[in-house]
Amino acid sequence: MINARSRRLIAIGLLLLVCVAAAAQNPFTQAPAPDSPTIYGGRVPEFIRSWSRSLQENIAMLSRRVSGGEWTAALTAFGLAVVFGMVHIAGPGHGKMFAISYFSGRDARLRQGIAYSAIANAVDSISAFALVMLGYVVLRAVLPQFRAEGPRILQIISYAIVTLFGILHLLSHLRTSGHNHSHDGHSHHDHAEQSADERKARPAWMLAVSVGLVPCPVSTILIVYGIANGVLPLMILMVIGVSIGGFIVMSVMSGAVILGRTKLMGALDAGAAHTVSAILEYTASGAIIVVGILLLVGSL
Amino acid sequence: MRRVAAIALLLVLPALAVTAHPHMWIDGTVGLIIDGSDVTGLEVEWLFDEFNSADMIFTFDTNLDGSLSQGEIDRIEASAFDHLMAADYFALMFQGITRVEVGKATDFSAGIRDGRIMYSFTLPFEMSLGDAHDLTIALFDPSYWIDFITEPSEGSYLAGIRFAGFQAETLHLQTQGWGVVSVPAVRLNVQ
């Protein structure tokens, strides 16, 4: 059992830890170290590298065939785009960190993870289309000096919203914590239920929309390619394919986190569950804030 | 066991979300510039993937004539090449375990080949051909935004009494946050 003051100290401590960990990756403050953080057991599977290269080459080749009138090639290209999206998003980035942080820090259902993934990927595609149309087509003609600034402005807006979301998320945790402990007559179970109920009111779609605002560069260059080569409908189809691939992988990851958290909480007794939940909540909020700030600063 | 698995899952998954991964693919070729019995530089050519090429053509081919004028090439050099000196133009060269330093790139040019943007440039360095045995060259972006492959522009060189030939090599290089990736490289054999 931990009181409100201890929870705040845990929150501050975890935030500092996340800050230090994040700062260590900043090449402007520290030269890349030979033993910089590694994933996938330290070795990126060769298939991710080779498949990504091969898939984009084949999509380009099939696009040329479609341009030449072979419309059936579009179906194959669409299938490859879905696979490309899965392979591409299986790597780091693309807002998965925010999804993982969010769902590891709160009780959620599988359908919420799926909805989050669908919204994030759909907004990504729409945003890519809007960015290209606005930045590459309209601004190129009307205000060419702003054309290069489009992606950066969108990044600043998106990361500012994500950071604000994380801060509000953390503040609401702290407020809930103080509120719960002002009623000492209630059981932990009551507190947990009350807390969970309050948090259910916070929609994941807001975070998904914020994250999706920054389109994947792959989506934007596909649309630019479509405009430049007169195959825009085909490239919109490709972007949809890539997004479906991303949606599949992001749904699986979000689902794994949601199930993992549910299993973990179910296996712990009430006191331990409360403590672990508090740690996860603050870590999740802290991670969203810190990564949001780092991305925001990087985009300024 | 379930508890351990759940905790492990929660701890490991966020680690997948730290940095970027390839969004650009470049086919690179490298060749030696030989003067007498010395190597005086490295000729480098980059051929960008079609999708990123479309983006660059859209940006830099301002008159949309499908080719790059000298003015457009100068603009590319100023805004999409010169600053890469800070990253050694993504050229990694090792003589044994010693890094070979290169100077500022010269002879920059750019063009459009089959819808793909092409850069060519020279990286000056000096070394006798005899010392160039085991010289290993790889084009590599440590941030792993770009996925390069490196191939020789010519298979072999004859300089005086020496014969030099490239052979394919695979390096395992550390990226910034991505872990270790396998990178196609070339290694020089001098006889």
Side-chain angles (χ1 to χ4, degrees):
Chain A
M1 177 177 182
I2 50 177
N3 60 29
R5 186 179 173 186
S6 299
R7 292 177 71 161
R8 288 192 178 92
L9 285 174
I10 289 172
I12 292 165
L14 287 170
L15 267 174
L16 287 173
L17 276 175
V18 175
C19 284
V20 169
Q25 293 162 14
N26 183 351
F28 296 99
T29 56
Q30 183 175 321
D35 57 348
S36 58
T38 57
I39 56 171
Y40 295 126
R43 178 67 58 87
V44 178
E46 177 59 20
F47 87 88
I48 289 186
R49 181 184 168 281
S50 57
W51 283 29
S52 296
R53 177 176 278 274
S54 172
L55 284 165
Q56 61 86 19
E57 285 174 350
N58 278 295
I59 291 169
M61 181 265 293
L62 288 165
S63 301
R64 287 195 300 275
R65 281 167 54 180
V66 174
S67 299
E70 191 182 336
W71 289 99
T72 51
L75 282 176
T76 313
F78 179 75
L80 292 183
V82 174
V83 178
F84 179 88
M86 294 174 71
V87 173
H88 188 67
I89 209 163
H94 300 282
K96 292 190 304 300
M97 190 273 167
F98 297 117
I100 291 163
S101 297
Y102 183 82
F103 290 117
S104 65
R106 55 163 289 163
D107 294 326
R109 296 187 175 181
L110 271 179
R111 66 167 183 265
Q112 289 174 285
I114 293 169
Y116 175 96
S117 306
I119 292 168
N121 283 282
V123 172
D124 180 287
S125 299
I126 294 165
S127 180
F129 187 78
L131 179 70
V132 172
M133 287 302 157
L134 184 68
Y136 285 75
V137 181
V138 178
L139 290 184
R140 183 187 170 100
V142 183
L143 293 167
Q145 69 272 29
F146 286 116
R147 175 242 171 281
E149 291 294 299
R152 197 171 71 90
I153 292 168
L154 205 56
Q155 281 183 343
I156 292 170
I157 293 169
S158 170
Y159 297 143
I161 295 172
V162 167
T163 304
L164 184 64
F165 183 95
I167 291 169
L168 293 175
H169 206 56
L170 179 62
L171 287 176
S172 65
H173 282 315
L174 293 172
R175 274 203 302 270
T176 305
S177 160
H179 173 71
N180 283 348
H181 285 271
S182 66
H183 303 287
D184 288 336
H186 293 189
S187 68
H188 276 297
H189 186 67
D190 293 336
H191 289 311
E193 275 193 351
Q194 180 187 6
S195 175
D197 286 341
E198 287 181 22
R199 276 159 214 163
K200 276 177 187 168
R202 289 185 214 109
W205 67 262
M206 289 176 65
L207 183 61
V209 169
S210 308
V211 168
L213 272 180
V214 179
C216 171
V218 167
S219 302
T220 56
I221 61 168
L222 282 172
I223 293 173
V224 172
Y225 179 91
I227 294 170
N229 293 282
V231 287
L232 184 57
L234 176 69
M235 286 301 117
I236 290 174
L237 188 67
M238 295 302 105
V239 170
I240 292 170
V242 171
S243 287
I244 290 173
F247 160 71
I248 292 168
V249 171
M250 194 181 279
S251 294
V252 169
M253 284 187 167
S254 299
V257 172
I258 291 167
L259 284 176
R261 180 188 160 92
T262 305
K263 294 278 184 193
L264 176 65
M265 293 305 162
L268 300 174
D269 60 56
H274 200 196
T275 304
V276 170
S277 181
I279 291 171
L280 288 174
E281 284 165 6
Y282 291 125
T283 306
S285 298
I288 291 172
I289 294 168
V290 170
V291 176
I293 289 173
L294 286 175
L295 291 172
L296 178 60
V297 169
S299 62
L300 290 174
Chain B
M1 189 61 200
R2 278 183 170 185
R3 195 178 297 187
V4 173
I7 292 170
L9 187 67
L10 285 169
L11 291 177
V12 167
L13 278 179
L16 298 177
V18 180
T19 54
H21 52 291
H23 287 80
M24 180 181 281
W25 295 265
I26 294 179
D27 298 340
T29 55
V30 293
L32 297 178
I33 300 172
I34 295 179
D35 182 6
S37 59
D38 293 330
V39 181
T40 59
L42 185 73
E43 284 181 333
V44 183
E45 185 178 288
W46 295 348
L47 196 57
F48 291 72
D49 66 86
E50 285 188 55
F51 297 109
N52 281 284
S53 292
D55 187 32
M56 294 178 73
I57 292 167
F58 214 73
T59 303
F60 292 109
D61 182 18
T62 46
N63 59 9
L64 299 173
D65 66 351
S67 64
L68 297 175
S69 65
Q70 190 54 50
E72 289 164 345
I73 293 170
D74 291 344
R75 205 171 135 237
I76 289 176
E77 184 175 12
S79 59
F81 180 72
D82 275 348
H83 67 279
L84 297 180
M85 186 182 177
D88 291 327
Y89 308 97
F90 302 124
L92 270 182
M93 289 203 289
F94 288 98
Q95 172 58 41
I97 57 168
T98 306
R99 177 83 184 260
V100 177
E101 301 296 333
V102 295
K104 182 174 168 51
T106 60
D107 307 324
F108 176 82
S109 187
I112 301 173
R113 184 188 298 164
D114 297 329
R116 300 171 70 178
I117 286 281
M118 183 272 297
Y119 279 11
S120 65
F121 52 95
T122 299
L123 297 178
F125 72 99
E126 286 199 17
M127 180 182 287
S128 75
L129 190 58
D131 289 341
H133 181 64
D134 271 350
L135 181 70
T136 304
I137 305 166
L139 299 170
F140 174 62
D141 171 17
S143 76
Y144 208 40
W145 180 267
I146 307 167
D147 177 47
F148 280 100
I149 58 172
T150 307
E151 291 181 340
S153 58
E154 293 182 47
S156 60
Y157 301 86
L158 193 59
I161 58 168
R162 290 196 178 275
F163 173 82
F166 275 120
Q167 68 180 54
E169 180 90 3
T170 300
L171 302 181
H172 302 292
L173 300 174
Q174 183 76 46
T175 60
Q176 295 164 350
W178 232 120
V180 175
V181 293
S182 301
V183 177
V186 291
R187 188 162 61 86
L188 193 67
N189 275 323
V190 181
Q191 295 167 351

